[in-house]
């Protein structure tokens, strides 16, 4: 029997792949532009929102946990960016 967890975005049950472990990213077919990280809290598996942010240098989508504070430093491809948050969405800016 496949494990299923409720999506924190829409509430639908999401199938969790058999080999999935804490830290893995899982997509919901109903929620666009985000993924969810498999976590364990109080001994139970839960899904936490992860936003996909475009790298301003190469355009690659980078997973950023929703609880990451604004102003945090994010490294990608040997470059450092600062995480900005506006209207509930993240973006990356060149770190000066």
């Amino acid at each position: 029997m496949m494990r299923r967890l409720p999506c924190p975005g829409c509430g639908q049950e999401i199938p969790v792949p058999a080999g999935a472990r804490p830290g893995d990213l899982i997509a919901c077919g109903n929620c666009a532009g985000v993924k969810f990280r498999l976590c364990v809290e109080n001994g139970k598996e839960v899904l936490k929102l992860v936003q996909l942010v475009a790298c301003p240098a190469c355009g690659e989508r980078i997973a950023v946990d929703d609880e990451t504070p604004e102003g945090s430093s994010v490294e990608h491809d040997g470059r450092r960016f600062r995480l900005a948050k506006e209207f509930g969405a993240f973006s990356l800016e060149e770190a000066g």
Side-chain angles (χ1 to χ4, degrees):
M1 180 177 202
M2 182 174 278
R3 301 180 311 199
R4 299 178 79 75
L5 292 172
C7 172
C10 69
Q12 292 276 339
E13 292 285 313
I14 300 175
V16 177
R21 296 184 311 203
D24 288 352
L25 296 178
I26 296 173
C28 172
N30 296 321
C31 297
V34 297
K35 288 198 177 184
F36 301 95
R37 188 174 311 280
L38 182 60
C39 300
V40 176
E41 287 185 349
N42 300 320
K44 295 180 80 175
E45 288 184 322
V46 296
L47 297 172
K48 296 220 171 196
L49 179 64
V50 173
Q51 295 197 35
L52 300 176
V53 182
C55 172
C58 70
E60 183 177 340
R61 308 282 283 170
I62 301 166
V64 177
D65 290 346
D66 197 49
E67 293 97 18
T68 306
E70 182 176 5
S72 294
S73 181
V74 175
E75 290 190 33
H76 177 70
D77 280 346
R79 298 175 76 172
R80 186 177 298 265
F81 302 96
R82 186 180 75 77
L83 189 64
K85 190 171 188 178
E86 190 170 338
F87 304 111
F90 285 120
S91 65
L92 294 175
E93 302 170 346
E94 291 281 346

